Amino acid sequence: MNFLTLIILLVSSSCGYESQNREKLVSSFEDNFGFKPPESVEKIKLKNLGIRDNQAHWMSFTHDSKVLEKIITHDKPLNVAESNNVKFGIIIEELEKNVNNPKWFDIPNKNVDRIYYKNDFLDHSFSQYYLWTDKETEMTYLYVSYID
């Protein structure tokens, strides 16, 4: 296989979408969490990326404690990694390795107390879910990935 054929195959087997337009992303928010975002969620950012059978989904939105509680209830069961926990560090390392993270996506740091997570929750060969809030930026972040 020559180089040009390889490039064509890679490009034709991947797709992506990115937006920071709240109006366009209301339906994506609802698809993720089962309800429309209230007006308190002023900003919504989204990136979807599919490469062959790998799918990744990043979302960020204005933090609202009532919205976060509703999401946690909707997405149960969720595990919790506290900032002083080994799992917390493992999740951060995993997120940092992803070269496809959008520029607006903040990896958890000292401004994050906990990460809600679950693994292998979809009917796929592999899936992961991470949700956290950055206290300084007052943004909540979601990262979901899976392999078909």
Side-chain angles (χ1 to χ4, degrees):
M1 181 180 311
N2 69 31
F3 183 71
L4 182 58
T5 304
L6 180 61
I7 294 295
I8 291 170
L9 282 173
L10 287 174
V11 170
S12 67
S13 63
S14 67
C15 63
Y17 174 78
E18 188 166 353
S19 177
Q20 295 185 35
N21 182 321
R22 187 191 189 283
E23 287 180 24
K24 290 182 179 180
L25 298 176
V26 166
S27 62
S28 294
F29 187 98
E30 186 174 12
D31 289 345
N32 275 292
F33 306 121
F35 63 95
K36 289 184 179 176
E39 292 302 316
S40 61
V41 176
E42 298 171 2
K43 298 177 187 174
I44 303 174
K45 301 174 184 181
L46 172 75
K47 179 179 178 180
N48 290 326
L49 181 64
I51 301 174
R52 300 184 57 110
D53 58 353
N54 296 294
Q55 304 295 319
H57 175 78
W58 297 260
M59 182 176 270
S60 175
F61 52 91
T62 312
H63 175 69
D64 175 314
S65 60
K66 291 179 183 175
V67 169
L68 182 61
E69 286 302 317
K70 198 170 179 178
I71 291 169
I72 291 168
T73 299
H74 177 268
D75 290 351
K76 282 184 180 177
L78 293 173
N79 299 302
V80 179
E82 299 287 341
S83 61
N84 59 352
N85 185 296
V86 172
K87 180 66 175 173
F88 189 91
I90 292 169
I91 293 170
I92 290 172
E93 287 176 14
E94 191 169 312
L95 291 167
E96 287 174 334
K97 289 179 192 175
N98 193 333
V99 297
N100 296 305
N101 288 333
K103 290 181 178 160
W104 49 261
F105 191 74
D106 290 338
I107 303 295
N109 59 28
K110 66 183 182 314
N111 300 318
V112 176
D113 293 331
R114 69 191 49 83
I115 300 171
Y116 299 92
Y117 71 96
K118 56 184 169 180
N119 296 308
D120 301 325
F121 62 98
L122 296 173
D123 292 331
H124 299 278
S125 60
F126 169 81
S127 57
Q128 58 188 173
Y129 169 111
Y130 302 126
L131 177 74
W132 68 91
T133 298
D134 185 307
K135 296 179 295 190
E136 185 177 305
T137 63
E138 296 184 347
M139 296 294 285
T140 297
Y141 295 88
L142 171 71
Y143 174 75
V144 176
S145 68
Y146 60 91
I147 299 173
D148 278 334

